[in-house]
Amino acid sequence: MRLRYFTTLVAGTVLFGLVAAVHLLSAMASGSMPWLAALWLFVPAPLLFVWRAVSARRRRRDLARSTRWSWLGRGYLVVAAVLAVAVLGGVGWIGSQRAIHPKPSTYQRTLADYPELQAAAETVSFPVPQDGRRVGWFIPGRRQATILLLHGYGGRKEEMLGHAQMLHQAGYSVMLFDFRHTGESDGGAVSLGFFETQDAIAAVRYLNTRRDVDQGRLGILGESMGASVAILAASQVLEIKAVVADSAFQSASKAVEEGFTRTTGLPRIPYSAITLAIIQLRLGVSPADVVPEDRIGTISPRPVLLIHGLADSEVSPGNSQALFAAAGEPKELWLLPGSDHVDGIKDYPKEYARRVEQFFDLSLR
């Protein structure tokens, strides 16, 4: 009997300790005083459980009082446990909402700030099977060699105007467009690279229909999520002859895990796993299926240039290092000291332009 009693006491204390931890961590990250006060009411759950267990014999002396307090205590513990499960699910839902419907980015510069590009830009659109149309700009250059530019998570095509100007001045034709659910394009939600890869492949198919594009000299450059999509698209489409991936993630799951604490203030365990599961439920696809690290090796013998800032606070440079290790030859990794997420073109403009132009010049001859 004593063994059973102590086993129950320990198991219950651990369980309600976890319940208390959920309420404590969730309240601290809520940023809402009402939520903070409400969740804090359930933090003493393990103490109440121990008190009820230890004083059970003593309460039997006063049956009426014992029954009253027993039901009150039991009800409190049940509510605490149920609410903890609800909080976990709620946090996971909020996390998934932020992941697949990111707040739109704002840009100080538009196409009008690049007169040379604006004068040559042609607004284009192309269909994506069962998912509407994608809208972008095609900007012809002095040569028919063309670079497809892919923006990052939560961004728009305007994000890539600096890259477009750099490559256009080097003579390349460029195309940049809005991924699904961003800018002027259709689409229900951001999928962290899964459906965006289909967008990129559809863009390549569109470029293949243009007479002013040399289909044998097509490169791709993406940053952040767009960099990962560039890798995934190139692994499926042989027409892409060269890949530049700036600040790519090695897997969508890792990207969510790395960004979870930054965006929610909560620890990754157990909240990020719940968020990933809810994302899969809502999208019908799993972030676990978006793994550039598993696909980058199939791009070889086409060349890959990986770029990453060593001070990246959003996607750690270890992602590009892992991608480099998994890639086949020819490959190159450029790590930028002191540079934050996708800031290489801003922090090292001349070197960035030189390296990227030289890479495409050699790869798309």
Side-chain angles (χ1 to χ4, degrees), residues 5-22:
Y5 171 78
F6 283 112
T7 301
T8 303
L9 181 62
V10 171
T13 303
V14 171
L15 170 63
F16 287 104
L18 293 173
V19 167
V22 168

Side-chain angles (χ1 to χ4, degrees), residues 58 69 128:
R58 189 180 307 167
W69 280 104
V128 177

Side-chain angles (χ1 to χ4, degrees), residues 216-229:
R217 300 167 66 201
L218 177 61
I220 193 167
L221 183 156
E223 65 176 26
S224 192
M225 183 188 74
S228 299
V229 170

